[in-house]
């Protein structure tokens, strides 16, 4: 709609130029020649105008006016009707086109809405057009390719068009197994040669899927195709041998390649082996091979599941004999742990209808013995669970009592602290009057030892008593200076919650930093005018490693958040918004994504000496590197971990294949698609407050840094299955 006008105008200008070139000689031509040359060319221009006016395009009103001016004859009524119909269509399409013009690339949501609209109308040409427009900006979105190819498979069914789109889809998103499976089906549907399909399947195996189940899915799709090629009316054929060979290769591939890479099979229920057993039993009448396969299935940890035994029993029931059915059910009774009652019932039902009295007695004895043992195990498990529940209740009660005692002790200390501060004020008055007039009082205070409880409280309050701060009886002036330092003018309320929007919380600063407000001010003034910097000190006057920075404007506070993790005196400084978590429990300080990011890699095992530039030099050989983040601890020391962001998922997928297991400075690194484990959220989060009631972000107390949850990945191969 937006660009079609230019194409139509170019076409009309071409045909009009031919008309104008023939006009001077038109009067000299015979009626027959004039009709064959000039008049027929003139009709072509008329035809172009009429065809264009029947299509909804931007600025079509100007085209209609141009046609009225150019045509010597009145415009036919049929053309006007088609033009009005196109105008109505234009009004319906305009909201979608305007949404695309206003949105920023890649405009996926806008294209999806436009596609839904075109699909309802059902014009194949326009549906194909909007899909192609959407894929220009979203060629790495697998769902869009799947929807497009599905429409072509079901609606147009044009071989060249369908296969071309499938081929483009797997080239752009090779890590998506669904696209490869659909490609194989489309090739089979349109009769592509068997060798071409086999080559395509081999390409799919080397595409670099990110989870083990993807390999199982592509193998199942290929095995289904091979099964449909076999004529089972023949006892043996080339296609049947190829099918059996492919089943054997699939099992070996999943064992050797997939399990070693992902640390899991991807096929815990052995579906491929089950399908092979069904084919051998039902289509090849080879129950011996089917039984061998089911024995292998049961040895892979499936013997405890009732549904697996019943599946085997049903296969024997349909294609085997009663003896093997009975044998399978007897084994199921002994091995099943999830639904033993159901298996016992099936065994008794079979013996009731087919077995002898002896078979019935044996079945009853085995089922009763098994169910009695199962009930005994369940009773023990219930008792154990009840005991654990009781222990949890007792622990909860103990924690409740401990909190109550702690609260009472805190209240008692608060009362004693008020009395103690009053006594200290009296002592300070005595010290501050006149040293020479009251030397006896000073010596009494300096040389006396307070009671144990008071000494402990006073040490915690001032640090003047105990081993950490011995009394200097020979230097009373130093004691006066220390006491004066302890009376530092610290605000009782370090932060006003009403100023959250213009304040940032700064943490992970060195405790040894002197005059933090002076040292931090130039750093934050680069973001805007700073109203106040309030460092937080302990009761002993020690800097606690965090502070509040208040700005004049909100935009300055937002800009200050960009200073997060800037190195200050050798440590990464954390800058966070000021948010009261008691009022906003869902607020997260963590700045990095914790979800699966298919375009980003997690690299572990790096040498601590590896720099960002060195890692970038290695990674850019496999694609365009957008960003690299080396992970450090709270002290700024490297942890041997990094995140590498590529331009798209395809490059990241290929980088995993090439870089995983690489050696860097004698260190073997592990590389995986970034997919951190879920961060645990406590059931009842409690707001943590600084002295005076202001909020303190969680990271100030926790033993882990804010990046701890992000870097604690599982095995890289396990992550590829996510």
């Amino acid at each position: 709609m937006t660009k079609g006008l230019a194409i139509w105008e170019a076409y009309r200008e071409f045909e009009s130029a031919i008309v104008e070139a023939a006009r001077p000689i038109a009067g000299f031509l015979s009626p027959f020649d004039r009709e064959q040359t000039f008049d027929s060319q003139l009709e072509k221009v008329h035809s172009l105008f009429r065809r264009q006016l029947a299509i909804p395009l931007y600025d079509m009103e100007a085209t209609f006016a141009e046609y009225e001016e150019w045509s010597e004859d009145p415009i036919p009524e049929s053309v006007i009707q088609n033009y009005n119909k196109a105008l109505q269509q234009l009004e319906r399409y305009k909201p979608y086109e305007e949404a695309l013009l206003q949105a920023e690339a890649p405009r996926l949501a806008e294209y999806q809405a436009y596609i839904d609209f075109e699909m309802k109308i059902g014009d194949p040409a326009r549906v194909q057009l909007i899909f192609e427009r959407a894929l220009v900006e979203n060629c790495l979105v697998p769902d869009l390719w799947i929807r497009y190819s599905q429409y072509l498979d079901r609606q147009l069914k044009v071989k060249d068009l369908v296969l071309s789109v499938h081929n483009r889809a797997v080239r752009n998103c090779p890590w998506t197994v669904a696209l490869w499976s659909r490609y194989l089906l489309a090739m089979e549907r349109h009769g592509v040669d068997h060798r071409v399909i086999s080559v395509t399947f081999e390409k799919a195996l080397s595409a670099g899927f990110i989870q083990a189940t993807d390999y199982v899915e592509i193998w199942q799709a290929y095995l289904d195709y091979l099964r449909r090629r076999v004529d089972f009316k023949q006892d043996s054929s080339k296609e049947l041998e190829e099918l059996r060979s492919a089943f054997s290769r699939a099992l070996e591939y999943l064992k050797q390649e997939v399990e070693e890479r992902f640390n899991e099979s991807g096929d815990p229920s052995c579906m491929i082996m089950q399908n092979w057993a069904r084919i051998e039993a039902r289509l090849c009448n080879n129950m011996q091979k089917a039984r061998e396969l089911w024995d292998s299935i049961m040895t892979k940890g499936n013997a405890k599941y009732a549904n697996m035994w019943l599946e085997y029993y049903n296969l024997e029931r349909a294609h085997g004999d009663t003896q093997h059915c009975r044998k399978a059910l007897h084994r199921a009774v002994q091995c099943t742990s999830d639904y033993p009652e159901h298996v016992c019932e099936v065994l008794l039902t079979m013996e009731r209808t087919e077995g002898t009295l002896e078979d019935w007695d044996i079945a009853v004895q085995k089922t009763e013995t098994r169910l009695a043992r199962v009930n005994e195990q369940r009773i023990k498990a219930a008792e154990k669970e009840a005991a654990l529940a009781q222990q949890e209740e007792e622990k909860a009660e103990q924690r409740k009592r401990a909190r109550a005692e702690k609260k009472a002790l805190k209240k008692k200390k608060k009362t004693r602290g008020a009395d103690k501060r009053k006594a200290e004020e009296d002592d300070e008055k005595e010290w501050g009057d006149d040293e020479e007039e009251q030397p006896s009082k000073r010596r009494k205070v300096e040389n006396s030892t307070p009671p144990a409880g008071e000494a402990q409280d006073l040490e915690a309050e001032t640090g003047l008593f105990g081993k950490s701060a011995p009394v200097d009886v020979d230097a009373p002036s130093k004691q006066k200076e220390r006491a004066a330092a302890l009376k530092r003018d610290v605000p009782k309320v370090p932060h006003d919650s009403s100023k959250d929007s213009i304040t940032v919380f700064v943490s992970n600063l060195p405790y040894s930093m002197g005059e933090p407000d002076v040292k931090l001010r130039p750093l934050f003034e680069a973001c805007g005018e700073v109203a106040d910097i309030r460092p937080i000190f302990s009761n002993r006057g020690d800097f606690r490693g965090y502070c509040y920075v208040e700005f004049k404007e909100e935009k300055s506070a937002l800009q200050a958040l960009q200073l997060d993790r800037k190195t200050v005196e050798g440590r990464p400084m954390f800058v966070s918004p000021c948010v009261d978590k008691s009022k906003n429990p869902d607020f997260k300080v963590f700045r990095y994504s914790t979800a699966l990011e298919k375009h980003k890699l997690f690299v572990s095992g790096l040498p601590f000496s590896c720099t960002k530039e060195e890692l970038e030099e290695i990674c850019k050989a496999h694609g365009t590197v957008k960003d690299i983040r080396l992970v450090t601890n709270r002290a700024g020391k490297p942890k041997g971990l990094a995140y590498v962001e590529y331009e798209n998922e395809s490059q990241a997928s290929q980088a995993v294949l090439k870089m995983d297991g690489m050696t860097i400075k004698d260190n073997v690194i592990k590389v995986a698609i970034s997919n951190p484990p879920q961060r645990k959220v406590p059931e009842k989060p409690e707001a943590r407050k600084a002295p005076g009631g202001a909020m303190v972000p969680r990271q100030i107390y926790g033993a882990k840094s804010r990046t701890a949850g992000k870097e604690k990945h599982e095995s890289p191969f396990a992550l590829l299955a996510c």
Side-chain angles (χ1 to χ4, degrees):
M1 281 180 54
T2 55
K3 299 182 180 180
L5 179 65
I7 298 175
W8 283 101
E9 287 185 345
Y11 194 3
R12 280 193 287 105
E13 287 178 6
F14 168 73
E15 297 290 357
S16 297
I18 297 176
V19 170
E20 295 302 323
R23 192 181 294 276
I25 62 172
F28 301 99
L29 298 175
S30 65
F32 178 78
D33 292 337
R34 177 184 174 90
E35 182 180 355
Q36 291 293 320
T37 57
F38 182 76
D39 292 345
S40 64
Q41 186 63 33
L42 198 64
E43 182 59 30
K44 285 185 179 180
V45 178
H46 277 284
S47 176
L48 284 177
F49 268 115
R50 294 166 184 170
R51 288 168 59 192
Q52 179 181 348
L53 291 174
I55 298 173
L57 297 171
Y58 270 28
D59 205 21
M60 61 188 305
E61 295 88 349
T63 304
F64 185 79
E66 182 182 353
Y67 185 32
E68 283 184 317
E69 182 180 353
W70 182 85
S71 177
E72 297 176 355
D73 301 323
I75 298 177
E77 185 64 27
S78 60
V79 175
I80 296 176
Q81 291 178 357
N82 290 334
Y83 167 70
N84 291 329
K85 184 178 179 181
L87 277 178
Q88 294 176 359
Q89 290 180 324
L90 179 66
E91 292 302 318
R92 288 192 294 169
Y93 290 132
K94 265 187 178 180
Y96 298 98
E97 293 289 351
E98 290 174 356
L100 289 175
L101 292 173
Q102 294 172 3
E104 297 181 358
R107 299 183 273 262
L108 179 59
E110 289 76 15
Y111 276 121
Q112 292 281 18
Y114 205 163
I115 290 171
D116 292 339
F117 173 73
E118 291 286 14
M119 295 275 276
K120 289 179 181 177
I121 296 177
D123 184 347
R126 295 197 63 87
V127 172
Q128 184 183 351
L129 175 63
I130 190 60
F131 268 117
E132 293 292 346
R133 289 176 62 188
L135 287 169
V136 169
E137 299 182 31
N138 298 277
C139 62
L140 299 179
V141 180
D143 291 341
L144 194 58
W145 284 108
I146 290 174
R147 190 176 183 189
Y148 187 22
S149 60
Q150 181 177 336
Y151 172 78
L152 295 177
D153 287 334
R154 296 178 180 178
Q155 302 296 328
L156 295 187
K157 301 179 182 180
V158 179
K159 177 180 178 180
D160 293 339
L161 177 60
V162 170
L163 295 182
S164 173
V165 170
H166 278 289
N167 189 19
R168 289 161 54 204
V170 296
R171 285 207 319 269
N172 283 278
C173 304
W175 62 88
T176 307
V177 67
L179 293 174
W180 288 101
S181 300
R182 291 172 178 272
Y183 192 12
L184 293 177
L185 288 171
M187 295 175 78
E188 181 185 2
R189 195 177 292 120
H190 292 282
V192 177
D193 186 72
H194 172 61
R195 287 175 297 179
V196 177
I197 296 178
S198 297
V199 170
T200 304
F201 168 70
E202 296 298 334
K203 289 181 181 179
L205 285 182
S206 60
F209 300 132
I210 61 175
Q211 54 188 10
T213 54
D214 290 346
Y215 288 94
V216 177
E217 183 177 342
I218 194 64
W219 269 110
Q220 284 183 326
Y222 185 59
L223 291 169
D224 291 345
Y225 157 70
L226 293 179
R227 194 268 306 164
R228 288 189 285 267
R229 295 181 68 241
V230 178
D231 182 6
F232 290 100
K233 294 179 181 179
Q234 303 178 13
D235 293 337
S236 179
S237 63
K238 180 182 177 181
E239 289 79 9
L240 179 58
E241 293 304 318
E242 184 178 1
L243 174 62
R244 285 173 171 161
S245 176
F247 268 115
S248 298
R249 184 190 167 202
L251 298 178
E252 188 67 21
Y253 185 91
L254 294 178
K255 182 179 179 181
Q256 297 295 331
E257 301 290 336
V258 177
E259 288 188 23
E260 290 182 3
R261 179 178 173 186
F262 296 99
N263 292 328
E264 60 171 311
S265 68
D267 189 15
S269 298
C270 301
M271 293 305 301
I272 289 180
M273 211 176 294
Q274 286 190 48
N275 291 336
W276 190 4
R278 293 188 190 100
I279 290 173
E280 292 290 352
R282 297 174 181 174
L283 301 177
C284 300
N285 297 318
N286 188 355
M287 276 304 299
Q288 182 61 33
K289 181 63 176 178
R291 292 181 185 120
E292 292 176 4
L293 291 170
W294 269 104
D295 283 341
S296 181
I297 291 172
M298 292 306 182
T299 58
K300 293 182 178 295
N302 293 298
K304 59 185 176 181
Y305 300 117
N307 67 314
M308 299 296 287
W309 284 108
L310 295 178
E311 183 70 24
Y312 177 32
Y313 165 74
N314 290 331
L315 191 67
E316 283 284 2
R317 192 76 171 164
H319 306 284
D321 52 51
T322 305
Q323 180 182 355
H324 284 90
C325 287
R326 181 177 291 111
K327 184 178 178 181
L329 289 177
H330 277 281
R331 291 174 60 192
V333 168
Q334 297 299 322
C335 300
T336 302
S337 60
D338 54 353
Y339 298 104
E341 294 90 348
H342 187 45
V343 174
C344 292
E345 183 180 351
V346 173
L347 174 59
L348 293 176
T349 300
M350 189 193 78
E351 298 296 6
R352 180 176 283 112
T353 57
E354 299 182 27
T356 64
L357 178 59
E358 183 181 358
D359 294 333
W360 171 261
D361 290 339
I362 294 173
V364 170
Q365 182 181 355
K366 283 195 173 184
T367 55
E368 288 179 350
T369 303
R370 175 59 177 163
L371 293 178
R373 188 163 65 250
V374 168
N375 289 332
E376 183 180 350
Q377 292 173 352
R378 289 174 178 172
I379 290 172
K380 289 182 179 180
E383 291 175 350
K384 185 177 180 180
E385 185 177 353
L388 290 175
Q390 186 176 358
Q391 289 179 5
E392 288 297 326
E393 290 180 1
E394 291 176 355
K395 288 180 181 179
E397 187 64 27
Q398 290 176 1
R399 288 194 294 267
K400 186 177 180 181
R401 287 198 299 268
R403 284 196 297 268
E405 292 174 359
K406 186 176 180 181
K407 188 175 181 181
L409 182 61
K410 187 176 181 181
K411 186 176 181 181
K412 183 178 179 181
K413 283 186 176 182
K414 187 175 181 182
T415 305
R416 291 174 59 189
D419 298 337
K420 178 184 64 178
R421 283 194 296 272
K422 185 176 180 181
E424 286 178 354
E425 290 175 0
D426 295 339
D427 290 343
E428 288 173 3
K429 288 180 180 178
E430 291 180 357
W431 275 359
D433 289 342
D434 189 352
E435 287 187 6
E436 296 183 357
E437 291 182 3
Q438 299 183 12
S440 59
K441 291 184 179 180
R442 185 178 69 250
R443 284 193 298 273
K444 181 178 180 181
V445 172
E446 292 175 354
N447 298 327
S448 62
T449 302
E454 295 183 9
Q456 185 177 359
D457 291 341
L458 192 57
E459 179 185 0
E461 186 72 22
T462 65
L464 292 177
F465 294 97
K467 295 181 180 179
S468 61
V471 178
D472 187 2
V473 296
D474 297 326
S477 59
K478 292 183 179 179
Q479 283 195 354
K480 289 185 64 178
E481 292 174 1
R482 184 171 180 82
L486 292 177
K487 294 178 65 64
R488 184 188 299 269
D489 187 16
V490 179
K492 293 183 179 180
V493 181
H495 176 60
D496 182 0
S497 59
S498 64
K499 297 182 179 180
D500 281 348
S501 60
I502 59 172
T503 307
V504 295
F505 180 81
V506 183
S507 60
N508 201 43
L509 297 170
Y511 293 159
S512 59
M513 179 182 285
E515 298 184 338
D517 50 343
V518 176
K519 292 184 178 180
L520 294 176
R521 185 173 291 273
L523 188 63
F524 284 97
E525 282 182 342
C527 303
E529 186 177 356
V530 177
D532 189 21
I533 297 180
R534 298 183 293 278
I536 306 302
F537 298 91
S538 67
N539 291 333
R540 298 175 59 177
D542 299 325
F543 179 48
R544 299 184 65 181
Y546 61 93
C547 64
Y548 295 89
V549 180
E550 181 183 328
F551 291 89
K552 292 288 188 180
E553 299 179 350
E554 184 176 349
K555 65 179 182 180
S556 302
L558 295 175
Q559 187 175 350
L561 297 176
Q562 302 300 320
L563 297 176
D564 186 37
R565 300 193 172 278
K566 183 176 180 62
T567 303
V568 176
E569 295 190 5
R571 291 175 66 91
M573 173 181 66
F574 297 163
V575 183
S576 310
C578 273
V579 176
D580 189 342
K581 285 193 176 181
S582 64
K583 299 178 181 178
N584 300 275
D586 296 331
F587 177 77
K588 299 291 188 296
V589 177
F590 192 68
R591 63 176 292 190
Y592 300 110
S593 172
T594 57
L596 173 66
E597 298 174 283
K598 294 183 179 179
H599 67 291
K600 187 178 291 186
L601 304 184
F602 173 71
V603 185
S604 60
L606 289 169
F608 294 156
S609 59
C610 182
T611 64
K612 181 177 180 180
E613 291 74 18
E614 292 173 341
L615 183 59
E616 183 177 7
E617 188 67 26
I618 296 171
C619 295
K620 69 181 184 181
H622 310 295
T624 304
V625 178
K626 295 181 65 177
D627 185 39
I628 292 181
R629 178 168 67 91
L630 294 177
V631 180
T632 62
N633 59 16
R634 294 178 68 88
K637 300 296 179 64
K639 299 175 69 174
L641 309 172
Y643 288 90
V644 181
E645 182 179 355
Y646 278 94
E647 190 172 45
N648 56 55
E649 300 175 16
S650 178
Q651 294 178 0
S653 178
Q654 292 300 319
V656 171
L657 297 176
K658 302 293 178 58
M659 293 175 57
D660 187 44
M662 179 185 291
T663 301
I664 300 179
K665 296 182 180 179
D666 298 329
N667 283 37
V668 179
I669 65 171
K670 293 183 179 180
V671 183
I673 298 296
S674 176
N675 187 26
Q678 292 295 321
R679 295 170 63 86
K680 295 183 179 179
V681 180
E683 294 181 0
K684 295 182 180 179
E686 297 180 359
R688 298 173 179 263
K689 295 189 177 182
M695 290 302 301
V696 179
R698 184 180 184 86
Q699 68 270 18
I700 206 70
Y701 294 99
K704 297 182 180 179
S705 68
R706 291 192 295 176
T707 58
K710 180 75 175 175
E711 281 84 43
K712 189 179 179 182
H713 276 276
E714 300 172 358
S715 165
F717 296 119
L719 282 175
L720 287 173
C722 296

